Amino acid sequence: MKTSDTSSLSPESVRLPAEWERHECVLLAWPHEDTDWAYMLDEARACIADIVRAVSERECVLLVGPERLCRRSVEEAGFDPARVRLEDVPTNDTWARDFGPITVEDGDGGLHVLDFKFNAWGLKFAADKDNLINTHLALRGRFAAGYVNHLGFVLEGGSIESDGRGTLLTTAECLLSPNRNGDLSESEIRARLARTMGFDHQLWLRNGGLAGDDTDSHIDTLARIAPHDTIIYIGATDSKGQTVDSLARMRDELTELRTRDGRPYNLIELPLPDPVYDEDGMQLPATYANYLVSDDAIYLPVYNQPVNDLRAEQTLRIVYPDHTVVPIDCRALIRQHGSLHCVTMQLPVGAVSGIVDGYWAESLRNL
């Protein structure tokens, strides 16, 4: 295991890259019979497979999951082995955004993979296996970046947004959840985030939330930082659902936020999908904010709502004019209360071992 000691680094010398910066690998977990997807396994695998195929056209994909339960279905999916590889790791579920490693860069350009504790959004579900995935990968030498153990602090990747220049966008409801880091005050959590990821400009929203959300208002369901001091947010257009008041208050709060040099943010509104319900009549947290962005593509969750889907795609084309927008039907994912960003975690160039010129090296393909 290649470990790192970042304790001597000052907050000014550490940064969490923006998601739209270049990365060369995306981590996902493959659904299997021992996950909550068991009752709709074919649908879940078809959706994850669509995401894997789309991402692997541009970069490598690392799939984790127990090989005995995943190997055959992964082979049947017909992925290009030069771009996609399966790593035999025990998993509870598929939410890689929240159990996956968070990679920071130091002042010399060195990369450090931070492994925070994942407790399934405040002890809501089982997470014993998912919390150890990064440790397994590190012990096997899968990270070229240095591994840093932060398992004493609960943090999910879906709860934080970075502009790559020290700005954090997050929600107080999530970070102050008593079942995450209830022994720490807000000031102590702020200090931890500044120390570990260089967040010296922190924006904490006090409003916003989607009906059916299990995450206590993850920021990646509500609002996303974009280039040029822009924030893309979900609008309060849900006249039939349960979220209109909360989102309206969030928008008011966003208008009050300021950049580090005191200017208001450019605010761009995404539509809210028409309400989607499960078989028991519970509203599901469908959102267009839950997209994955790379340096040249946006992978956009859509929900078979032609007008709203198109509006979301056109909005993102305005904000990212040089990107290819790739819509992917994620109706299967929202049935377990997540979407596309939730099942993916990007890793920057140089963070993962075994990738050469954008492809998995031959020595690792058949492990």
Side-chain angles (χ1 to χ4, degrees):
M1 180 191 297
K2 179 182 178 182
T3 60
S4 289
D5 179 7
T6 58
S7 60
S8 62
L9 298 175
S10 66
E12 295 77 16
S13 65
V14 180
R15 75 179 190 97
L16 178 61
E19 190 173 305
W20 60 82
E21 296 181 46
R22 184 169 173 243
H23 38 86
E24 68 177 356
C25 186
V26 173
L27 174 71
L28 295 99
W30 191 247
H32 56 80
E33 292 88 339
D34 291 344
T35 66
D36 286 343
W37 296 109
Y39 74 105
M40 52 172 292
L41 193 55
D42 290 344
E43 295 168 78
R45 282 176 170 169
C47 183
I48 297 291
D50 286 343
I51 297 170
V52 170
R53 290 190 188 96
V55 171
S56 63
E57 288 184 2
R58 293 172 172 84
E59 57 187 294
C60 288
V61 172
L62 177 60
L63 287 176
V64 295
E67 184 165 358
R68 65 183 179 86
L69 297 176
C70 299
R71 171 62 66 184
R72 180 174 177 179
S73 57
V74 168
E75 290 176 347
E76 290 174 348
F79 303 132
D80 179 358
R83 290 282 201 178
V84 182
R85 62 157 296 153
L86 173 67
E87 184 74 29
D88 183 13
V89 178
T91 59
N92 298 106
D93 216 322
T94 55
W95 309 111
R97 176 62 44 181
D98 296 335
F99 63 67
I102 297 175
T103 310
V104 298
E105 182 182 272
D106 63 32
D108 297 322
L111 296 177
H112 307 269
V113 167
L114 310 186
D115 187 9
F116 293 98
K117 182 176 182 179
F118 175 63
N119 72 350
W121 316 287
L123 305 174
K124 294 182 177 72
F125 306 99
D128 56 316
K129 299 179 180 69
D130 288 347
N131 187 47
L132 295 175
I133 288 173
N134 300 326
T135 304
H136 285 306
L137 294 174
L139 287 170
R140 296 176 190 178
R142 299 306 183 234
F143 298 132
Y147 170 84
V148 188
N149 184 331
H150 283 293
L151 291 172
F153 184 75
V154 177
L155 186 73
E156 301 117 31
S159 70
I160 57 174
E161 275 285 296
S162 172
D163 67 351
R165 296 179 290 125
T167 297
L168 165 71
L169 181 65
T170 189
T171 67
E173 182 178 352
C174 179
L175 264 61
L176 299 182
S177 165
N179 286 338
R180 286 178 169 85
N181 299 297
D183 57 329
L184 300 179
S185 66
E186 178 175 336
S187 61
E188 289 172 322
I189 293 173
R190 284 177 176 268
R192 179 76 68 97
L193 296 172
R195 185 169 66 251
T196 57
M197 288 176 281
F199 287 133
D200 59 1
H201 181 59
Q202 299 191 20
L203 307 173
W204 289 43
L205 295 178
R206 309 285 165 170
N207 296 283
L210 299 178
D213 174 32
D214 290 327
T215 68
D216 304 307
S217 297
H218 268 188
I219 194 65
D220 70 351
T221 68
L222 300 169
R224 306 291 301 278
I225 296 181
H228 311 300
D229 293 332
T230 298
I231 295 177
I232 305 171
Y233 70 97
I234 294 296
T237 55
D238 181 10
S239 60
K240 299 179 182 178
Q242 307 168 32
T243 60
V244 63
D245 291 340
S246 177
L247 293 178
R249 292 192 300 272
M250 182 185 76
R251 187 194 185 286
D252 291 341
E253 195 173 0
L254 288 169
T255 64
E256 299 299 320
L257 297 182
R258 294 295 180 266
T259 65
R260 64 175 62 252
D261 55 2
R263 293 179 293 106
Y265 281 88
N266 305 309
L267 299 181
I268 305 293
E269 181 177 311
L270 279 170
L272 185 68
D274 294 335
V276 181
Y277 300 92
D278 67 12
E279 56 273 12
D280 297 319
M282 177 183 293
Q283 188 170 346
L284 299 171
T287 171
Y288 295 112
N290 206 248
Y291 58 83
L292 173 69
V293 59
S294 70
D295 63 323
D296 64 355
I298 296 173
Y299 306 95
L300 172 68
V302 294
Y303 305 102
N304 194 32
Q305 299 181 15
V307 174
N308 288 327
D309 293 348
L310 180 59
R311 285 179 57 205
E313 182 177 345
Q314 291 175 334
T315 300
L316 290 175
R317 289 186 190 279
I318 292 171
V319 181
Y320 290 93
D322 298 324
H323 282 56
T324 299
V325 179
V326 183
I328 300 174
D329 189 333
C330 288
R331 284 176 291 169
L333 295 184
I334 62 168
R335 288 175 63 183
Q336 281 294 317
H337 304 261
S339 200
L340 193 151
H341 196 249
C342 300
V343 297
T344 58
M345 174 55 82
Q346 75 282 351
L347 290 146
V349 176
V352 181
S353 299
I355 297 176
V356 179
D357 296 329
Y359 296 90
W360 289 110
E362 184 65 36
S363 61
L364 286 177
R365 283 186 207 161
N366 299 315
L367 287 182

